[in-house]
């Protein structure tokens, strides 16, 4: 039963995993941090991205093995995403076993298959970030919770706490699964000793997470790019929530003390709702932060499908009705195919560091100056530093590694201007037109100097960026 969801998830995770070797900016950060030495990584985490610290350490260990064995043949993109594909396969197995334990074998099978077919699951199965690992840990923590509710044992509660703490240390917002688990325990009306055991385990998780949570508040400026929830992400949640609630209305017989609805509905609804409410105080809503909410939908949908698609003849169901419902399921899967194909294209992410590096290499000449607008786009260099060799970064004061930062530190606006005026040609890798611009002295100096003393020689737009060669006035043939 588990082999089918696992095989399907692994197949979908491997399908198009290279994504034309396109790496987007968040994955470039992972690549950069994972390839720093531990001696360099630790001081960097004290300044930035401490919430992903454990993930970077794990990826550092992974790349030590991958680069020495498979890296030369499979490339950077596969190395970044393969751990996520494996983690999501483990999550699919956990969903299937959870559905089997809650309802039955066929419910588990359908739940695991449904989970694998959800587009957002496939998206993060091919993402070089921590979200697939977090999802897998929450799934297995939920499975252990159900097992502990059925047969309370100290080692099960310790296992639950360890899995949840690991998920939270990989990403703090995994902690929002705890209210969903607590709601399931309360709704199941379990004995008080079970409720006390869960509360003690949850308290242990919170205590273990507290130092990281307190320290990470110093780095809250990293979320300054968030303004308000993405409407597409909200619509995705709303659709799954409505469909999940509809599936919950189909009566199924639960096997254990925790019913399917008591567990799946809180897991589907509560993490996202809490994160959405938190965004009123400080913008923090991104669907991947609580990706594990889709597990609740998969469990509900799996149980509903198991009941609706009973073998022909069972309890009077006709073969024709069974065929119609099966065909409807096939049509839904076919309707998702264009979305699945899009997720495996370079256009599915906000930018493409591979295409940007290639464009820079094509238009640049040895000795050209180099600028990034804004400075944080310097991360585009990380996966392909060799393609930027021979160019002089006119704004850079200290490299990302030397400064223990993600993007390096830049010189003053006055110094940047002077260095720009001493250059004959400057290659600029910038955000595409129409994006908000930074207003610090360095960015103002860059834009003003380009406008006053240079003209466009060549300009190319690639996914999520514009690469432009500027020359001193009168030295270009004209914009192209």
């Amino acid at each position: 039963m588990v082999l089918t969801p696992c095989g399907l998830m692994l197949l979908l995770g491997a399908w198009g995993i290279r994504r034309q070797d396109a790496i987007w900016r968040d994955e470039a950060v992972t690549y950069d941090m994972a390839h720093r030495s531990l001696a360099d990584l630790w001081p960097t985490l004290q300044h930035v991205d401490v919430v992903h610290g454990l993930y970077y350490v794990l990826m550092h260990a992974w790349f030590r093995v991958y680069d020495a064995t498979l890296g030369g043949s499979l490339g950077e993109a596969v190395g970044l995403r393969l751990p996520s594909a494996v983690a999501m396969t483990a999550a699919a197995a956990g969903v299937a076993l959870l559905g089997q334990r809650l309802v039955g074998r066929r419910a588990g099978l359908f739940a695991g298959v449904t989970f694998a077919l959800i587009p957002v699951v496939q998206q993060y199965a091919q993402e070089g970030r921590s979200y697939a690992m977090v999802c897998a840990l929450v799934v297995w923590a939920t499975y252990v919770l159900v097992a502990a509710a059925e047969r309370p044992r100290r080692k099960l509660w310790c296992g639950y706490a360890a899995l949840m703490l690991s998920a939270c240390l990989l990403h703090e917002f995994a902690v929002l699964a705890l209210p969903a688990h607590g709601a399931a325990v309360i709704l199941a009306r379990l004995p008080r000793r079970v409720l006390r055991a869960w509360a003690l385990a949850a308290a242990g998780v919170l205590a273990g997470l507290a130092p990281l949570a307190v320290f990470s508040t110093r780095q809250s400026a990293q979320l300054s790019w968030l303004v308000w929830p993405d409407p597409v992400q909200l619509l995705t949640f709303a659709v799954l929530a409505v469909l999940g609630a509809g599936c919950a209305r189909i009566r199924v017989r639960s096997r254990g003390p925790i019913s399917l609805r008591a567990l799946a509905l809180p897991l589907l609804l509560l993490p996202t709702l809490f994160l959405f409410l938190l965004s009123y105080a400080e913008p923090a809503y991104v669907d991947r932060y609580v990706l594990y909410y889709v597990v609740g939908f998969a469990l509900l949908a799996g149980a509903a499908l198991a009941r609706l698609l009973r073998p022909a003849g069972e309890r009077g169901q006709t073969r024709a009705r069974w065929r119609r419902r099966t065909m409807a399921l096939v049509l839904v899967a076919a309707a998702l195919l264009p979305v699945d194909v899009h997720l495996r294209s370079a256009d599915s992410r906000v930018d493409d560091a591979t295409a940007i590096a290639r464009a820079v290499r094509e238009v640049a000449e040895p000795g050209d100056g180099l600028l990034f607008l804004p400075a944080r786009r310097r991360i585009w260099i990380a996966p392909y530093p060799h393609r930027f060799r021979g160019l002089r970064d006119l704004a850079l004061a200290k490299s990302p590694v030397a400064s223990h930062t993600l993007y390096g530190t830049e010189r003053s606006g006055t110094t940047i201007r002077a260095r720009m005026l001493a250059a004959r040609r400057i290659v600029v890798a910038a955000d595409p037109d129409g994006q908000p611009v930074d207003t610090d002295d360095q960015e103002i100096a860059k834009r003003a100097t380009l406008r006053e003393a240079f003209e466009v020689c060549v300009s190319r737009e690639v996914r999520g960026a514009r690469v432009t060669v500027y020359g001193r006035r009168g030295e270009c043939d004209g914009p192209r």
Side-chain angles (χ1 to χ4, degrees), residues 89-161:
T89 301
V95 171
L97 290 174
L98 193 54
Q100 180 181 15
R101 187 154 199 153
L102 290 170
V103 180
R105 182 180 178 86
R106 285 194 298 122
L109 173 63
F110 282 117
V113 169
T114 299
F115 177 80
L117 292 176
I118 297 173
V120 72
V121 169
Q122 298 179 40
Q123 176 180 349
Y124 290 107
Q126 297 186 342
E127 191 97 327
R129 298 298 279 173
S130 65
Y131 309 110
M133 294 184 184
V134 173
C135 184
L137 287 168
V138 170
V139 167
W140 281 99
T142 306
Y143 181 84
V144 175
L145 171 68
V146 172
E150 292 180 4
R151 298 184 62 187
R153 295 288 187 276
R154 178 177 296 180
K155 63 180 181 180
L156 289 177
W157 289 115
C158 289
Y160 167 76

Side-chain angles (χ1 to χ4, degrees), residues 296-308:
F297 169 77
L299 291 171
L300 291 166
L305 288 170
R307 181 170 178 80
L308 294 175

Side-chain angles (χ1 to χ4, degrees), residues 120-329:
V120 72
V121 169
Q122 298 179 40
Q123 176 180 349
Y124 290 107
Q126 297 186 342
E127 191 97 327
R129 298 298 279 173
S130 65
Y131 309 110
M133 294 184 184
V134 173
C135 184
L137 287 168
V138 170
V139 167
W140 281 99
T142 306
Y143 181 84
V144 175
L145 171 68
V146 172
E150 292 180 4
R151 298 184 62 187
R153 295 288 187 276
R154 178 177 296 180
K155 63 180 181 180
L156 289 177
W157 289 115
C158 289
Y160 167 76
L163 288 168
M164 277 304 305
L165 180 58
S166 299
C168 292
L169 293 178
L170 278 173
H171 198 280
E172 290 179 1
F173 285 129
V175 75
L176 294 179
L178 285 178
H181 291 163
V185 172
I186 293 171
L187 291 173
R189 298 181 179 179
L190 297 171
R192 288 187 178 180
R193 62 188 180 91
V194 175
L195 181 58
R196 284 196 300 268
W198 173 83
L200 184 61
V205 173
L206 294 175
L209 177 63
L212 175 63
V214 172
F215 189 85
S216 67
T217 58
R218 304 178 187 177
Q219 302 176 3
S220 58
Q222 280 190 264
L223 293 178
S224 60
W225 59 274
L226 283 172
V227 180
W228 191 244
D230 186 324
V232 175
Q233 295 180 6
L234 284 179
L235 179 61
T236 300
F237 167 69
V239 169
L240 292 182
V242 170
L243 291 176
C247 291
R249 294 178 62 86
I250 298 175
R251 292 185 178 182
V252 295
R253 181 178 298 176
S254 296
R255 287 183 167 184
I258 297 182
S259 70
L260 173 75
R261 282 186 289 185
L263 178 67
L265 276 175
L267 193 57
L268 170 62
L269 300 175
L270 292 185
T272 300
L273 292 178
F274 277 125
L275 187 59
F276 183 77
L277 292 174
L278 179 63
S279 294
Y280 277 95
E282 183 176 352
Y285 180 83
V286 183
D287 63 350
R288 58 181 178 264
Y289 292 170
V290 288
L291 175 63
Y292 48 85
Y293 83 86
V294 300
V295 175
F297 169 77
L299 291 171
L300 291 166
L305 288 170
R307 181 170 178 80
L308 294 175
L309 298 178
R310 288 172 296 179
E314 183 179 331
R315 294 187 182 179
Q317 182 177 350
T318 65
R319 186 178 299 274
R321 185 185 303 174
W322 183 82
R323 287 177 176 174
R324 285 197 299 270
R325 290 173 175 175
T326 303
M327 183 58 66
L329 182 62

Side-chain angles (χ1 to χ4, degrees), residues 361 363-370 388-394 419-420 422-427 469-470:
R361 188 74 276 166
V363 302
E365 297 178 0
D368 283 350
L370 176 66
F388 293 82
R389 286 178 188 152
L391 304 180
R392 298 178 295 115
D393 195 326
L394 302 177
R419 289 169 64 84
M420 291 174 65
R424 184 179 66 87
R425 282 171 34 116
I426 300 175
V427 179
V469 176
Y470 287 85

Side-chain angles (χ1 to χ4, degrees), residues 35-56:
H35 282 82
R36 297 189 188 189
S37 68
L38 295 180
D40 289 324
L41 183 58
W42 172 243
T44 303
L45 295 176
Q46 296 181 53
H47 293 92
V48 66
D49 247 7
V50 70
V51 295
H52 297 296
L54 176 59
Y55 175 67
Y56 293 147

